[in-house]
Amino acid sequence: MRFSILTLGDNYEHLRPHEQFYQEVIEEAEYAEELGFEGFWVGEHHFQASQRAFPSPQMLLAAIAQRTKRLRLGTGVSVLPVNDPIRLAEDIAALDLISHGRAFLGAGRGYQPHEFAGFNVATETTKERFWECLEVIRLAWTQEQFSYSGQFFHYEDIALLPRPVQKPTPPIW
């Protein structure tokens, strides 16, 4: 049996500064590796209403990658409807390179209305945005060059750099 840890980033600044919290999470990941956990997942949340301090999980995971050797690193989850799929594909590919092939993409639709509102994303479009974003990410990772024209995303002759280490893609959950 394999075990992982998920942290959503709940932090209240009146208890400790975000800078201290980030350092504690990095130390938690190091300890998780020492204890034999397989993976460490970081959730994505936005805006003060959630009290969660991880708007870009891949940034924190890149720092953790530098302090660990075998711990698998995943977004738990990246909220696809509020992300640009090319930018997210680039970030996860870069994390995969930095971590020597230990990156996962945890993909989710999201559920918090204040997050969708903050990005001007209509809640009723999140299902379609999720699937479109996921399709673009897969294309970016598996095709040398591609074009895409969907309801929400349009790209012409994209060639993603960097490319992820894991082939055909980092695992997507």
PDB file of all heavy atoms in Angstrom, residues 10-22:
ATOM      1  N   ASP A  10      -4.367  25.692   4.303  1.00  0.00           N
ATOM      2  CA  ASP A  10      -5.109  26.477   5.291  1.00  0.00           C
ATOM      3  C   ASP A  10      -4.125  27.157   6.232  1.00  0.00           C
ATOM      4  O   ASP A  10      -3.370  26.488   6.941  1.00  0.00           O
ATOM      5  CB  ASP A  10      -6.026  25.577   6.108  1.00  0.00           C
ATOM      6  CG  ASP A  10      -7.174  25.006   5.307  1.00  0.00           C
ATOM      7  OD1 ASP A  10      -7.132  25.094   4.079  1.00  0.00           O
ATOM      8  OD2 ASP A  10      -8.109  24.472   5.910  1.00  0.00           O
ATOM      9  N   ASN A  11      -4.119  28.467   6.226  1.00  0.00           N
ATOM     10  CA  ASN A  11      -3.255  29.216   7.123  1.00  0.00           C
ATOM     11  C   ASN A  11      -3.940  30.520   7.487  1.00  0.00           C
ATOM     12  O   ASN A  11      -4.563  31.154   6.664  1.00  0.00           O
ATOM     13  CB  ASN A  11      -1.893  29.511   6.475  1.00  0.00           C
ATOM     14  CG  ASN A  11      -0.934  30.127   7.465  1.00  0.00           C
ATOM     15  OD1 ASN A  11      -0.716  29.581   8.533  1.00  0.00           O
ATOM     16  ND2 ASN A  11      -0.381  31.264   7.126  1.00  0.00           N
ATOM     17  N   TYR A  12      -3.795  30.887   8.726  1.00  0.00           N
ATOM     18  CA  TYR A  12      -4.388  32.117   9.224  1.00  0.00           C
ATOM     19  C   TYR A  12      -3.249  33.012   9.703  1.00  0.00           C
ATOM     20  O   TYR A  12      -2.532  32.665  10.641  1.00  0.00           O
ATOM     21  CB  TYR A  12      -5.383  31.802  10.344  1.00  0.00           C
ATOM     22  CG  TYR A  12      -6.460  30.872   9.851  1.00  0.00           C
ATOM     23  CD1 TYR A  12      -6.297  29.484   9.920  1.00  0.00           C
ATOM     24  CD2 TYR A  12      -7.608  31.375   9.250  1.00  0.00           C
ATOM     25  CE1 TYR A  12      -7.274  28.627   9.424  1.00  0.00           C
ATOM     26  CE2 TYR A  12      -8.583  30.528   8.754  1.00  0.00           C
ATOM     27  CZ  TYR A  12      -8.405  29.165   8.844  1.00  0.00           C
ATOM     28  OH  TYR A  12      -9.366  28.322   8.344  1.00  0.00           O
ATOM     29  N   GLU A  13      -3.070  34.143   9.027  1.00  0.00           N
ATOM     30  CA  GLU A  13      -1.910  34.998   9.299  1.00  0.00           C
ATOM     31  C   GLU A  13      -1.839  35.486  10.737  1.00  0.00           C
ATOM     32  O   GLU A  13      -0.756  35.781  11.224  1.00  0.00           O
ATOM     33  CB  GLU A  13      -1.884  36.188   8.344  1.00  0.00           C
ATOM     34  CG  GLU A  13      -1.100  35.890   7.097  1.00  0.00           C
ATOM     35  CD  GLU A  13      -0.690  37.149   6.366  1.00  0.00           C
ATOM     36  OE1 GLU A  13      -1.595  37.900   5.965  1.00  0.00           O
ATOM     37  OE2 GLU A  13       0.518  37.365   6.218  1.00  0.00           O
ATOM     38  N   HIS A  14      -2.965  35.544  11.428  1.00  0.00           N
ATOM     39  CA  HIS A  14      -2.898  35.968  12.828  1.00  0.00           C
ATOM     40  C   HIS A  14      -2.243  34.889  13.701  1.00  0.00           C
ATOM     41  O   HIS A  14      -1.818  35.162  14.816  1.00  0.00           O
ATOM     42  CB  HIS A  14      -4.287  36.352  13.365  1.00  0.00           C
ATOM     43  CG  HIS A  14      -5.237  35.208  13.486  1.00  0.00           C
ATOM     44  ND1 HIS A  14      -5.954  34.716  12.413  1.00  0.00           N
ATOM     45  CD2 HIS A  14      -5.573  34.440  14.550  1.00  0.00           C
ATOM     46  CE1 HIS A  14      -6.706  33.711  12.810  1.00  0.00           C
ATOM     47  NE2 HIS A  14      -6.499  33.518  14.099  1.00  0.00           N
ATOM     48  N   LEU A  15      -2.132  33.654  13.197  1.00  0.00           N
ATOM     49  CA  LEU A  15      -1.458  32.588  13.922  1.00  0.00           C
ATOM     50  C   LEU A  15       0.018  32.472  13.556  1.00  0.00           C
ATOM     51  O   LEU A  15       0.845  32.167  14.406  1.00  0.00           O
ATOM     52  CB  LEU A  15      -2.150  31.245  13.657  1.00  0.00           C
ATOM     53  CG  LEU A  15      -3.606  31.150  14.081  1.00  0.00           C
ATOM     54  CD1 LEU A  15      -4.197  29.805  13.694  1.00  0.00           C
ATOM     55  CD2 LEU A  15      -3.706  31.344  15.602  1.00  0.00           C
ATOM     56  N   ARG A  16       0.327  32.676  12.270  1.00  0.00           N
ATOM     57  CA  ARG A  16       1.719  32.650  11.804  1.00  0.00           C
ATOM     58  C   ARG A  16       1.777  33.276  10.420  1.00  0.00           C
ATOM     59  O   ARG A  16       0.841  33.151   9.625  1.00  0.00           O
ATOM     60  CB  ARG A  16       2.266  31.228  11.764  1.00  0.00           C
ATOM     61  CG  ARG A  16       1.555  30.361  10.751  1.00  0.00           C
ATOM     62  CD  ARG A  16       2.096  28.958  10.701  1.00  0.00           C
ATOM     63  NE  ARG A  16       1.077  28.172  10.015  1.00  0.00           N
ATOM     64  CZ  ARG A  16       0.753  26.956  10.314  1.00  0.00           C
ATOM     65  NH1 ARG A  16       1.386  26.311  11.254  1.00  0.00           N
ATOM     66  NH2 ARG A  16      -0.181  26.322   9.656  1.00  0.00           N
ATOM     67  N   PRO A  17       2.887  33.919  10.095  1.00  0.00           N
ATOM     68  CA  PRO A  17       3.023  34.530   8.768  1.00  0.00           C
ATOM     69  C   PRO A  17       3.049  33.468   7.665  1.00  0.00           C
ATOM     70  O   PRO A  17       3.496  32.339   7.890  1.00  0.00           O
ATOM     71  CB  PRO A  17       4.366  35.263   8.840  1.00  0.00           C
ATOM     72  CG  PRO A  17       4.819  35.217  10.249  1.00  0.00           C
ATOM     73  CD  PRO A  17       4.040  34.154  10.951  1.00  0.00           C
ATOM     74  N   HIS A  18       2.586  33.843   6.470  1.00  0.00           N
ATOM     75  CA  HIS A  18       2.591  32.895   5.350  1.00  0.00           C
ATOM     76  C   HIS A  18       4.001  32.399   5.042  1.00  0.00           C
ATOM     77  O   HIS A  18       4.190  31.244   4.679  1.00  0.00           O
ATOM     78  CB  HIS A  18       1.965  33.521   4.097  1.00  0.00           C
ATOM     79  CG  HIS A  18       0.495  33.780   4.222  1.00  0.00           C
ATOM     80  ND1 HIS A  18      -0.396  32.868   4.745  1.00  0.00           N
ATOM     81  CD2 HIS A  18      -0.240  34.859   3.890  1.00  0.00           C
ATOM     82  CE1 HIS A  18      -1.608  33.373   4.729  1.00  0.00           C
ATOM     83  NE2 HIS A  18      -1.549  34.588   4.213  1.00  0.00           N
ATOM     84  N   GLU A  19       4.988  33.266   5.184  1.00  0.00           N
ATOM     85  CA  GLU A  19       6.378  32.849   4.925  1.00  0.00           C
ATOM     86  C   GLU A  19       6.766  31.677   5.841  1.00  0.00           C
ATOM     87  O   GLU A  19       7.359  30.691   5.389  1.00  0.00           O
ATOM     88  CB  GLU A  19       7.327  34.019   5.148  1.00  0.00           C
ATOM     89  CG  GLU A  19       8.780  33.669   4.913  1.00  0.00           C
ATOM     90  CD  GLU A  19       9.709  34.842   5.154  1.00  0.00           C
ATOM     91  OE1 GLU A  19       9.273  35.880   5.678  1.00  0.00           O
ATOM     92  OE2 GLU A  19      10.894  34.693   4.818  1.00  0.00           O
ATOM     93  N   GLN A  20       6.434  31.772   7.118  1.00  0.00           N
ATOM     94  CA  GLN A  20       6.713  30.690   8.067  1.00  0.00           C
ATOM     95  C   GLN A  20       5.937  29.433   7.681  1.00  0.00           C
ATOM     96  O   GLN A  20       6.476  28.329   7.712  1.00  0.00           O
ATOM     97  CB  GLN A  20       6.350  31.118   9.487  1.00  0.00           C
ATOM     98  CG  GLN A  20       6.545  30.017  10.526  1.00  0.00           C
ATOM     99  CD  GLN A  20       6.059  30.431  11.905  1.00  0.00           C
ATOM    100  OE1 GLN A  20       5.838  31.614  12.180  1.00  0.00           O
ATOM    101  NE2 GLN A  20       5.883  29.462  12.774  1.00  0.00           N
ATOM    102  N   PHE A  21       4.675  29.618   7.306  1.00  0.00           N
ATOM    103  CA  PHE A  21       3.835  28.481   6.923  1.00  0.00           C
ATOM    104  C   PHE A  21       4.428  27.733   5.735  1.00  0.00           C
ATOM    105  O   PHE A  21       4.498  26.508   5.737  1.00  0.00           O
ATOM    106  CB  PHE A  21       2.415  28.972   6.617  1.00  0.00           C
ATOM    107  CG  PHE A  21       1.486  27.889   6.161  1.00  0.00           C
ATOM    108  CD1 PHE A  21       1.218  26.788   6.966  1.00  0.00           C
ATOM    109  CD2 PHE A  21       0.859  27.961   4.924  1.00  0.00           C
ATOM    110  CE1 PHE A  21       0.354  25.788   6.552  1.00  0.00           C
ATOM    111  CE2 PHE A  21      -0.001  26.978   4.498  1.00  0.00           C
ATOM    112  CZ  PHE A  21      -0.259  25.882   5.314  1.00  0.00           C
ATOM    113  N   TYR A  22       4.872  28.465   4.711  1.00  0.00           N
ATOM    114  CA  TYR A  22       5.483  27.813   3.551  1.00  0.00           C
ATOM    115  C   TYR A  22       6.701  26.989   3.972  1.00  0.00           C
ATOM    116  O   TYR A  22       6.886  25.857   3.514  1.00  0.00           O
ATOM    117  CB  TYR A  22       5.887  28.857   2.497  1.00  0.00           C
ATOM    118  CG  TYR A  22       4.815  29.149   1.475  1.00  0.00           C
ATOM    119  CD1 TYR A  22       3.566  29.637   1.840  1.00  0.00           C
ATOM    120  CD2 TYR A  22       5.063  28.955   0.128  1.00  0.00           C
ATOM    121  CE1 TYR A  22       2.593  29.917   0.897  1.00  0.00           C
ATOM    122  CE2 TYR A  22       4.092  29.233  -0.827  1.00  0.00           C
ATOM    123  CZ  TYR A  22       2.862  29.717  -0.433  1.00  0.00           C
ATOM    124  OH  TYR A  22       1.909  29.987  -1.382  1.00  0.00           O
TER     125      TYR A  22
END
